[in-house]
Amino acid sequence: MNIAIISSWHVHAEEYANAFAAMPDCRITAVWDEREDAGRAFADKLGCPFVADYEALLQDSSLDGIVMTAPTCLHKDMLLQAARAGKHIFTEKVLAITAEDAYAIAAAVKENHVKFVISFPHRCRGDLNYAYAMARSGKLGEITYARVRNAHNGSIANWLPPHFYDEALCGGGAMIDLGAHPMYLLPWILGQPQNVVSTFTRVTGREVEDNAVSVITFANGAIGVSETGFVSQDDLFTLELCGTLGSLSVRGSQVSYSCSETGHQWVTVEELPKALPSPQQQWVDAVIRDTPVICGIDEAVALTVLMEGAYRSYRTGSRCPLLFDESPSFP
């Protein structure tokens, strides 16, 4: 499978490139970048050509797919071009800045039978799949509340690149970037989101928010809380599920729960399921072997709709309904 890396802009671009390069079924055959000097340096590091003309790159019949790690503001046009050229797509989150753009990309992906995967790595974690299975099992009763916190120290330790604070390029700050993980996990567990209200702050005074919380109401009456930020030190990933019959906690990678089968005493899970194949591996397998993926175009669109609502709430200071043109496949 021949793939092109589309930009070194994203902080995960090199990580993705290295992951694909290590796969026996993959070969990185080109790099494109909106910044020619950065693109040429990245191509040299990967040992492949730099191609400055994106349209010409897509016309290469030997190219099977692209890995989209360009600025989020470029996603719509570039992904539309790739889909219409019949190139398979792996993309960094989020799919697009607006729901309208996301739906346009989805239509092109479906019309051109493109194999599509968005990078939702937390959906592949063994501990989180255990939590999901517990939520579905009924042992915790009806899940009425969920909280996911995912934060790091990128802004206070100054290791994030400066362009991650450019609202025009990114569409926002901490929530649209790191907060995407809580935002795709909550509907996975709780089902159809209906509305959202957000509070964002700028602790370090940059152009975009670096401390953010969104509260989401779901169709079944459950409440989900998405917490994120770039200004937290030593902050472990946290997932909490509270149900009518019990509760579950993931702290770091440790899972514990309490319900009737434990005598309502908290116990730690000693053996967790293995992680699922990474989103990168799922994409390659889908292209080569036509295997199913768990984070496809519908999930990508749903994240953008939710994220757009979260930012609209922050900007208007009001609770915002989530308007889905189609009904995504929520639990």
Side-chain angles (χ1 to χ4, degrees):
M1 178 180 174
N2 293 330
I3 63 174
I5 308 296
I6 307 304
S7 182
S8 61
W9 179 86
H10 200 277
V11 292
H12 293 314
E14 187 169 350
E15 174 190 335
Y16 292 144
N18 290 338
F20 286 118
M23 295 181 188
D25 292 326
C26 278
R27 190 164 69 101
I28 299 174
T29 58
V31 164
W32 176 94
D33 202 298
E34 72 281 2
R35 306 159 300 171
E36 185 169 341
D37 289 347
R40 290 190 181 280
F42 194 37
D44 287 346
K45 183 179 287 190
L46 297 177
C48 66
F50 171 76
V51 178
D53 188 332
Y54 185 62
E55 290 187 9
L57 176 67
L58 294 178
Q59 290 169 8
D60 181 353
S61 60
S62 69
L63 181 68
D64 298 301
I66 66 158
V67 176
M68 177 56 65
T69 45
T72 310
C73 65
L74 300 181
H75 279 202
K76 179 195 175 184
D77 290 341
M78 300 191 79
L79 291 177
L80 283 175
Q81 286 179 271
R84 290 166 180 164
K87 304 305 181 185
H88 302 296
I89 295 169
F90 178 91
T91 185
E92 179 55 277
K93 56 183 179 33
V94 293
L95 177 62
I97 294 175
T98 70
E100 181 180 6
D101 289 352
Y103 279 116
I105 296 166
V109 164
K110 293 175 181 180
E111 289 168 6
N112 292 280
H113 307 289
V114 164
K115 300 292 186 182
F116 175 98
V117 170
I118 191 167
S119 186
F120 286 2
H122 286 54
R123 283 282 308 271
C124 302
R125 286 175 47 164
D127 54 351
L128 299 185
N129 275 278
Y130 181 91
Y132 174 82
M134 281 291 287
R136 301 266 82 73
S137 72
K139 293 180 181 180
L140 306 179
E142 180 182 358
I143 306 301
T144 56
Y145 177 86
R147 168 179 168 261
V148 183
R149 178 166 181 79
N150 193 40
H152 60 49
N153 67 351
S155 287
I156 51 177
N158 293 312
W159 56 261
L160 280 174
H163 55 253
F164 262 51
Y165 306 109
D166 187 324
E167 186 170 9
L169 294 178
C170 303
M175 184 56 78
I176 203 168
D177 176 53
L178 194 61
H181 298 293
M183 287 296 212
Y184 66 69
L185 289 172
L186 288 167
W188 179 47
I189 294 170
L190 296 179
Q192 175 76 49
Q194 289 190 321
N195 56 65
V196 59
V197 61
S198 300
T199 295
F200 300 165
T201 60
R202 302 175 185 181
V203 174
T204 60
R206 289 179 167 93
E207 179 182 348
V208 295
E209 83 283 353
D210 52 23
N211 200 29
V213 176
S214 293
V215 179
I216 307 155
T217 304
F218 289 81
N220 61 357
I223 294 173
V225 181
S226 169
E227 301 178 9
T228 194
F230 297 154
V231 289
S232 295
Q233 188 72 42
D234 304 325
D235 195 344
L236 291 176
F237 174 88
T238 301
L239 179 145
E240 297 173 355
L241 300 180
C242 300
T244 55
L245 298 177
S247 296
L248 178 145
S249 171
V250 178
R251 182 75 171 145
S253 59
Q254 179 175 292
V255 181
S256 56
Y257 70 95
S258 171
C259 63
S260 59
E261 75 173 20
T262 71
H264 293 288
Q265 299 297 310
W266 282 88
V267 298
T268 298
V269 180
E270 299 296 338
E271 187 173 349
L272 294 169
K274 292 182 180 179
L276 300 177
S278 69
Q280 299 96 305
Q281 188 64 61
Q282 289 185 39
W283 181 55
V284 172
D285 288 343
V287 173
I288 295 176
R289 302 173 183 89
D290 198 30
T291 54
V293 301
I294 63 172
C295 302
I297 191 62
D298 290 337
E299 289 79 12
V301 171
L303 173 61
T304 295
V305 172
L306 183 50
M307 199 66 77
E308 184 183 51
Y311 276 88
R312 189 167 63 248
S313 170
Y314 161 63
R315 289 165 183 145
T316 62
S318 62
R319 183 183 302 274
C320 287
L322 298 169
L323 306 174
F324 292 93
D325 290 350
E326 303 167 2
S327 295
S329 180
F330 292 112

